[in-house]
Amino acid sequence: MFRTKSVEQSIRDTEEPEHALKKSLSALDLTVFGVGVIIGTGIFVLTGQVAKETAGPATAIAFAVAGVVCALAALCYAEFASTVPVAGSAYTFAYATLGELVAWIIGWDLVLEFALGTAVVAVGWSGYVRSLMDNVDWTMPEVLSGPDVAEGFGFDILAFALVLVLTAILVVGMKLSARVTSVVVAIKVAVVLMVIIAGLFFIKAENYKPFIPPAEKQETGGGWDAPLVQLMFGYEPTNFGIMGIFTAASIVFFAFIGFDVVATAAEETKLPQRDMPRGILGSLIICTVLYVAVSLVVTGMQHYSELSVSAPLADAFKATGHPFYAGLISFGAAVGLTTVCMILLLGQTRVFFAMSRDGLLPRFFSKTHPRFRTPYRPTILLGVLIAIIAGFTSIEELATLVNIGTLFAFVVVALGVLVLRRTQPDLPRAFRTPWVPLLPIVSVAASVWLMLNLPVETWVRFGAWMALGVVIYFVYGRSHSLLGKRGR
C-alpha cells in the first residue's frame, strides 16, 4: 500500500512509444492554460456575493489572501512539476513520495474534482448563452434548457454539445487545444480589462466607507450547512470585520480553482524544468491582480450593501446608466467558461491516463492515439460521460466538492515536497521551493484552515467518495498495480 514509484521509473514510463504523449507546449501555452481555467464565473459573480454578505470593500483583501494560499501551493507544485515532468499532477507527485494508496486516493479525488467541475461549468456556460440568446429574442425550448429551467424532464442540449465539441478538440491534439485557448483567453482578458478601465470612471470614494465594515456574527444555524470549524472548536465565523476577511477568503477561493491543472500537462511540455514554474506562477499572479482590480472597481461603483448577488458587475453598470457593459460582461463570461470547461476536462483525462498507465485503472486507457499522440480513449469515455451528466443533472449543490478536493490536493503536494527533500535530497531540481520546510508547512496549515471553513455536508460527501475509492483500490488497483507486479 505504501510502495513508492521512483522518479526515474516515472520518467522511463513516459518513454514507451505507445504510452508516450506528444511534447508541444511552451511556457506561454501553460500560462494561457492557467489564465484560461482560473478566470471563470468567480470574477463576474462571486465578487458581489462576498462583498455584500461577508467582507464589504475588503473583498479585495480576501482575494489577495486566497491568492497567497494558492501561491504557497503553487511554489510546491512548481518544484514537483519541474522535477517529475509526468502527467498526473498531484497523483504522480504522491506516488513518488507518500506511497501507492495515498496516490490512488488523491488521483480518485482529482477525477471527482475535474469531472464535477467540468459539468458544473458547462451548465453555467449554457445559462450565459441562453441569456445572450434572449437578448436577441432567440428562445430555447424549455425541454432542451436543462432540469433547472424545464418543468419535469429537461435536457441541457447546449451543455451537452459544448463538452462533446471540446472532447473532440482535445482528441485531435494539445497544440490545437492551446491555439483555441489562446484566442478565447485573449477575448476574455480583453473584456475584463475593458470592464476595469470603464469602471474606473464611475468610482465614488464614499462607496469605500467603511473599507472594513464592523464585524457581525454569521448566522449558520449550527447544522449540516455550518462550517466544520464551528463544530470542532466552537469558533463562530463572522461577517465583516478582520475575521470576516478570512471567512471571505475561504469563499473566494472558488475563483482560483484550476491553476493546479497546469501541472497535469507537464509531460506534454517541451522544456518542463524551465516552463512549468513559469506557467504555474505566471498564470496565478495575472489572475490575482485581475481579481483584486475587479473587486475594487465594483465596490467603488456601487456601495457594497446595494450590490447584486447574481450579477454584480453587470448590475453595477446598469445602476450607473451604462447597460451596454452588462451585455459585454455576459459575453465575456460565456466566452471565458469555454476554456474553463476544456482545461478541466484536459486535467481529468491526464490524471486518468496516468493512473491507467500505472495499472491502477485498466491499461486499455493508457494507449495514445497513433497520429495525434493524445490519450484519446479516456478523453472520449470521460467526455461522453460528463456531457451526459451536464445534460441531465442539476449539480450546483455539489460544487463545493470541487473546492475541498483542490485543497486536499494542495495538502498532499506540500507534504510530498517535504518527503522528497528528505528521501532524495540529491535529486536534480530545476526549481526549488524556497524556505523549506517552513513554506510547505505554512501551505498545509493554510489549506487545512480553508477546508475547515467548508460546510459539514461537504465533508460528509467528500468522505463518502474517498471511502468508495479505497474500496475500488483494494478490489482492483492493488492487485493490478504495475509497480506491484514488477516487485513480485
Side-chain angles (χ1 to χ4, degrees), residues 179-190:
R179 288 170 181 165
V180 172
T181 303
S182 298
V183 173
V184 176
V185 168
I187 296 172
K188 176 165 57 175
V189 172

Side-chain angles (χ1 to χ4, degrees), residues 59 154 199 226 261 454:
T59 297
V261 177
L454 292 171

Side-chain angles (χ1 to χ4, degrees), residues 20 26 29 38 67 96 110 135 198 219 233 258 303 334 347 385 409 427 455-456 458 464:
S26 64
D29 293 328
I38 295 172
L110 291 173
N135 290 341
E219 298 295 334
F233 306 113
H303 195 268
L385 289 176
L427 188 70
V456 176
T458 299

Side-chain angles (χ1 to χ4, degrees), residues 3 31-33 67-68 70 110 143 149 183 221 233 324 364 385 403 412-413 436 461:
R3 55 197 172 207
T31 303
V32 170
F33 272 138
V68 169
C70 290
L110 291 173
V143 71
V149 178
V183 173
F233 306 113
F324 164 77
F364 170 82
L385 289 176
N403 196 17
V412 170
V413 171
V436 174
R461 289 172 173 168

Side-chain angles (χ1 to χ4, degrees), residues 284-466:
L284 186 60
I285 291 171
I286 291 171
C287 293
T288 302
V289 171
L290 291 176
Y291 280 173
V292 171
V294 167
S295 59
L296 287 173
V297 166
V298 73
T299 53
M301 290 176 62
Q302 195 172 17
H303 195 268
Y304 72 90
S305 61
E306 300 173 356
L307 284 173
S308 161
V309 173
S310 59
L313 275 176
D315 290 346
F317 276 105
K318 287 180 181 177
T320 58
H322 295 81
F324 164 77
Y325 290 102
L328 183 64
I329 291 166
S330 295
F331 172 74
V335 170
L337 291 180
T338 306
T339 55
V340 176
C341 193
M342 183 171 73
I343 300 168
L344 286 174
L345 182 59
L346 161 73
Q348 188 202 32
T349 57
R350 270 45 179 184
V351 173
F352 198 95
F353 168 78
M355 296 175 73
S356 171
R357 189 167 57 188
D358 290 332
L360 299 180
L361 290 171
R363 292 267 290 175
F364 170 82
F365 294 107
S366 64
K367 296 282 185 70
T368 54
H369 194 281
R371 177 184 174 188
F372 303 125
R373 310 308 302 170
T374 57
Y376 69 106
R377 290 175 176 175
T379 300
I380 294 172
L381 171 68
L382 296 171
V384 171
L385 289 176
I386 294 171
I388 293 172
I389 293 173
F392 281 107
T393 314
S394 175
I395 50 179
E396 286 81 355
E397 67 276 6
L398 297 181
T400 50
L401 280 172
V402 182
N403 196 17
I404 195 171
T406 301
L407 287 166
F408 180 62
F410 286 4
V411 171
V412 170
V413 171
L415 292 175
V417 167
L418 293 175
V419 173
L420 197 61
R421 284 286 187 96
R422 185 174 183 84
T423 57
Q424 298 191 55
D426 299 326
L427 188 70
R429 291 169 169 84
F431 178 89
R432 298 177 68 88
T433 303
W435 309 309
V436 174
L438 177 61
L439 189 145
I441 292 173
V442 173
S443 177
V444 169
S447 297
V448 170
W449 173 252
L450 291 185
M451 290 174 73
L452 292 175
N453 277 277
L454 292 171
V456 176
E457 186 176 17
T458 299
W459 280 87
V460 172
R461 289 172 173 168
F462 181 68
W465 178 258
M466 290 295 102

